[in-house]
C-alpha cells in the first residue's frame, strides 16, 4: 500500500498518475528536501487532502515516483532485445540502444535523485538499482551465452563480460555527464561509442 487507497498501477487512476507525474517534476528540479506537498497538489489540480488520500506522506510519494521511474525504464528497455545476426550485429544493436538510453538526461536526473536520497530511502534506492541491473544486464548475459554456444565468442564468465561491454558504453554517455553536472559531454555520437565498444569487446572475446 502506498496510501489509504488500494495500490493502483499506472493508467488505472488518472488523478494518481497526474500526482506522480507532477511530483516527479518537482523532485527532479528541487530535490527531496526542498519539495513541498502543496505545490504538487496545485500542479496536479487536486486538493492537498486528496493527495494525502493517495500518499499519506512525502516519503510515500517519493517512493512511488522512483518505483514508477524504474518501471518506465524497464518498459523502455523492452525494445532492447537481441536481434538475429552475427555477434557484431547483435552486440551493436544492444550497445546502441543502451547508449541512447543511458545518455538520456532524464535517466541521469533520476539516478542523481536516487543517489542523493539513498541514505533516507535505502530500500527504494536498492530496489531501483537492482531492477536496473536485472533489466539491462540479464538480456545481454543470455545473448552472450547463446553466442558462446554458437562458437562466435570465447567467454569464461558471461556476467563479467557483460559488465565490461556495458561499462564501455556507460562511461562516456552516463558517468562523465553524471559526475560533472552535464558540463562534460562525449564528443562521440552514440553510434560511434557503440561501434567502438563492440570492436574492443570482440577483439578480446571474439573467435
Amino acid at each position: 500500500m502506498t496510501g489509504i487507497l488500494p495500490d493502483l498501477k499506472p493508467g488505472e487512476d488518472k488523478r494518481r498518475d497526474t500526482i506522480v507525474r507532477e511530483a516527479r517534476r518537482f523532485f527532479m528540479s528541487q530535490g527531496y528536501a526542498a519539495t513541498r506537498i502543496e505545490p504538487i497538489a496545485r500542479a496536479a489540480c487536486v486538493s492537498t487532502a486528496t493527495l494525502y488520500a493517495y500518499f499519506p506522506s512525502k516519503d510515500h510519494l517519493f517512493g512511488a515516483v522512483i518505483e514508477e521511474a524504474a518501471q518506465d525504464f524497464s518498459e523502455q528497455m523492452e525494445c532492447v532485445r537481441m536481434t538475429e545476426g552475427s555477434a557484431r550485429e547483435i552486440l551493436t544493436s544492444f550497445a546502441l540502444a543502451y547508449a541512447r538510453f543511458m545518455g538520456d538526461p532524464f535517466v541521469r536526473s533520476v539516478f542523481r535523485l536516487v543517489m542523493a536520497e539513498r541514505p533516507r530511502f535505502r530500500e527504494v534506492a536498492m530496489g531501483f538499482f537492482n531492477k536496473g541491473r536485472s533489466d539491462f544486464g540479464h538480456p545481454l548475459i543470455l545473448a552472450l551465452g547463446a553466442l558462446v554456444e554458437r562458437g562466435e565468442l570465447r567467454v569464461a564468465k558471461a556476467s563479467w563480460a557483460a559488465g565490461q561491454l556495458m561499462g564501455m558504453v556507460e562511461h562516456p554517455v552516463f558517468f562523465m555527464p553524471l559526475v560533472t553536472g552535464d558540463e562534460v559531454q562525449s564528443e562521440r555520437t552514440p553510434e560511434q561509442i557503440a561501434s567502438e565498444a563492440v570492436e574492443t569487446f570482440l577483439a578480446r572475446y571474439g573467435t
Side-chain angles (χ1 to χ4, degrees), residues 164-176:
Q164 291 166 358
L165 178 58
M166 294 169 73
M168 285 190 286
V169 173
E170 289 167 0
H171 179 73
V173 303
F174 179 74
F175 284 111
M176 283 199 310

Side-chain angles (χ1 to χ4, degrees), residues 45-117:
C45 298
V46 299
S47 67
T48 303
T50 297
L51 188 151
Y52 278 122
Y54 285 95
F55 306 100
S57 71
K58 188 165 73 168
D59 286 7
H60 286 82
L61 182 54
F62 180 80
V65 166
I66 298 305
E67 287 172 5
E68 292 196 11
Q71 183 59 37
D72 286 349
F73 293 170
S74 179
E75 291 172 0
Q76 289 183 51
M77 290 304 290
E78 283 294 319
C79 67
V80 183
R81 290 291 178 262
M82 299 305 137
T83 58
E84 296 296 326
S86 66
R88 179 174 283 101
E89 291 169 334
I90 290 170
L91 296 176
T92 299
S93 174
F94 175 89
L96 180 56
Y98 191 58
R100 287 171 173 165
F101 176 78
M102 295 302 286
D104 187 332
F106 174 68
V107 173
R108 289 196 298 275
S109 295
V110 173
F111 270 82
R112 287 193 184 102
L113 183 59
V114 171
M115 288 189 298
E117 300 302 333

